[in-house]
Amino acid sequence: MKILIPLFSPPTGTWGSLTRVLALGSAAVVRGHAVAFCAAGYLADRLEALGHLVFRMPQTTMFGLPKPLSDAFSARSQNVVPPVPPGRSIGSIWLVLMITGIARYGYLRRLVSSQLAAVDEYKPDFLFTEVDPGAFLVSRIRGIPIACTYAGMLKVGIGGFAWRMVHAAAGRVLRDFGKESVEPQEMILDRRTLKIVPSIPELEPEAAASPDYVFTGSLFRSFRAAADSSFQAEPGRRYAFAYLGTGSVGLPVMRKVLPQVFPDSAGGGTPRLFCLVGSQTLQKEERIGGVVFRPFWDAENLLPHCDWTFCHGGHNTIIQSLAHKVPLLLFPGPIFERRFNAERVQAAGAGRFGEAPDFNARWIGEVMSGREAYAAAAARLGEKICALGGPPRAVEALETWNG
């Protein structure tokens, strides 16, 4: 079977999507299938650096702005937190598509045309994607079977302004190719679309009990390239891993608070934990107290040595941490799907959900003092995640679906 994987390629970070599509693609190759990708920008660069066949797609820009303005906006994204009061939730997947410029008809039309050209050259038997809208349109236009990752956040925001923009742009593209318009979420919810759920029912309770939904637990593969800094654990040392993405806790706040929680050993003996912070907006490594900041950490190698994960509620970081039995402190900010994810982790007892004002040394220290109970719950969830089969299970589902 030949599988083409169009990768959602916004101008801002989406490492989580990359790890999941890499996981399925790599497992498919092990099982004897051929795999190629459609991607743009730095994600295409990363895939090519890993040796994959990549069909280059047109790069979008933030809000459809000229590229220099978009780049400046993206570079500041980690330091920007939406001015929303604690406890409020904003956003949807449709808003993400609008902000990243993908909901514009002109761009979406170019994207679909480029993916159709890739289809003509590669001749795939199956499409797999995460949230790339072009892939669903190509599937409709050419009648190619499609599978996607699924999360209940898809249902948030249907009928809103951003959803209407996506609906209008997608419908216009479909009509360009002689196909009837359809509400965008229905292309995913359609029973003919295989939905891979990279989670467990405790964390994704809204997935339907239907053959077109398949739970796989962790869907992860490292995207570390040779140019990335490696990680070597010091003998006997334990760590806390922090990846807080964008729209959650800004770098200036992390630089101020985390060294208070993880002081330098010179301040009174050897600290029990070092904190290792990853941020894509950094250009080089820096250290403040017992905290090391880098553009990239290979979490898969780091997490076995960790006692805690600090994160923004991103799906991939949560599942990956729990698979390694690591409890979490979650600071999702106002972002809709991250708040949902954080609430599920807290409800399961595997971590604590903090609002922005809680990101202070006192609150963090109090939560960390109760690690034993959180770690026990994380271990229970981690066992369930690992038992579902991961990437090989996802590929088996594709094989069965393709008949």
Side-chain angles (χ1 to χ4, degrees):
M1 182 166 60
K2 297 178 73 174
I3 305 171
L4 182 63
I5 304 179
L7 175 59
F8 174 56
S9 301
T12 53
T14 179
W15 291 132
S17 293
L18 179 60
T19 60
R20 288 186 284 275
V21 299
L22 269 177
L24 185 139
S26 299
V29 170
V30 169
R31 291 181 66 86
H33 304 297
V35 173
F37 295 84
C38 294
Y42 70 92
L43 292 174
D45 296 340
R46 178 66 59 149
L47 287 164
E48 288 177 344
L50 294 170
H52 294 286
L53 172 61
V54 180
F55 294 93
R56 288 271 178 170
M57 297 292 108
Q59 177 68 70
T60 188
T61 60
M62 298 294 289
F63 298 103
L65 294 168
K67 190 174 186 304
L69 290 176
S70 175
D71 291 345
F73 190 95
S74 298
R76 293 176 57 84
S77 61
Q78 179 115 28
N79 296 327
V80 175
V81 177
V84 177
R88 294 284 301 277
S89 177
I90 61 170
S92 67
I93 185 60
W94 318 109
L95 182 62
V96 170
L97 293 174
M98 185 184 78
I99 290 173
T100 54
I102 294 171
R104 294 178 298 118
Y105 164 74
Y107 173 77
L108 192 56
R109 181 68 165 78
R110 292 194 302 274
L111 178 66
V112 168
S113 295
S114 296
Q115 290 184 3
L116 287 171
V119 165
D120 290 340
E121 181 175 344
Y122 190 64
K123 296 179 173 55
D125 304 298
F126 215 110
L127 300 176
F128 174 74
T129 190
E130 182 142 308
V131 292
D132 183 88
F136 295 99
L137 298 174
V138 168
S139 174
R140 289 259 163 172
I141 291 166
R142 290 291 175 83
I144 303 172
I146 188 169
C148 66
T149 55
Y150 175 83
M153 67 177 185
L154 163 76
K155 298 178 181 179
V156 175
I158 292 175
F161 175 74
W163 176 88
R164 293 197 300 272
M165 284 195 64
V166 176
H167 188 195
R172 189 174 170 186
V173 172
L174 284 172
R175 290 191 295 273
D176 286 348
F177 289 91
K179 302 296 181 180
E180 291 185 4
S181 179
V182 62
E183 292 188 354
Q185 78 279 3
E186 292 303 326
M187 290 187 280
I188 302 172
L189 298 175
D190 191 317
R191 293 178 67 90
R192 293 170 294 180
T193 299
L194 175 63
K195 289 162 278 292
I196 302 296
V197 188
S199 186
I200 54 178
E202 290 87 342
L203 300 178
E204 189 57 65
E206 294 187 12
S210 174
D212 52 315
Y213 291 81
V214 177
F215 280 93
T216 64
S218 179
L219 200 58
F220 175 85
R221 183 175 178 84
S222 174
F223 52 80
R224 181 178 180 271
D228 293 318
S229 300
S230 60
F231 166 75
Q232 295 292 332
E234 298 178 30
R237 172 70 62 199
R238 300 295 294 174
Y239 300 87
F241 172 51
Y243 177 68
L244 289 145
T246 58
S248 172
V249 177
L251 271 173
V253 176
M254 285 190 273
R255 287 187 174 109
K256 178 182 178 181
V257 172
L258 290 177
Q260 298 175 35
V261 182
F262 305 95
D264 194 332
S265 58
T270 302
R272 194 177 76 84
L273 290 175
F274 274 117
C275 182
L276 309 180
V277 179
S279 171
Q280 293 159 225
T281 61
L282 291 170
Q283 300 300 314
K284 60 182 180 179
E285 180 176 311
E286 61 183 67
R287 177 168 175 173
I288 307 173
V291 185
V292 181
F293 295 82
R294 274 188 190 175
F296 172 81
W297 293 97
D298 187 356
E300 192 66 7
N301 288 330
L302 169 59
L303 283 169
H305 306 280
C306 287
D307 284 356
W308 285 99
T309 292
F310 291 68
C311 86
H312 58 322
H315 171 87
N316 210 59
T317 306
I318 288 174
I319 295 297
Q320 194 178 1
S321 297
L322 293 176
H324 287 285
K325 305 178 181 180
V326 181
L328 300 110
L329 285 89
L330 304 116
F331 298 91
I335 308 302
F336 71 108
E337 87 277 11
R338 299 174 187 173
R339 294 184 70 84
F340 173 83
N341 293 340
E343 289 166 355
R344 298 307 305 170
V345 171
Q346 179 166 276
R352 282 288 297 277
F353 179 139
E355 300 287 2
D358 296 323
F359 198 86
N360 62 73
R362 179 177 179 181
W363 189 90
I364 292 171
E366 289 176 353
V367 174
M368 291 176 66
S369 68
R371 180 183 181 277
E372 185 175 348
Y374 297 121
R380 290 194 296 271
L381 294 181
E383 290 173 359
K384 293 181 178 181
I385 289 168
C386 295
L388 284 174
R393 173 72 185 98
V395 177
E396 290 172 6
L398 262 68
E399 293 169 344
T400 301
W401 200 255
N402 201 37

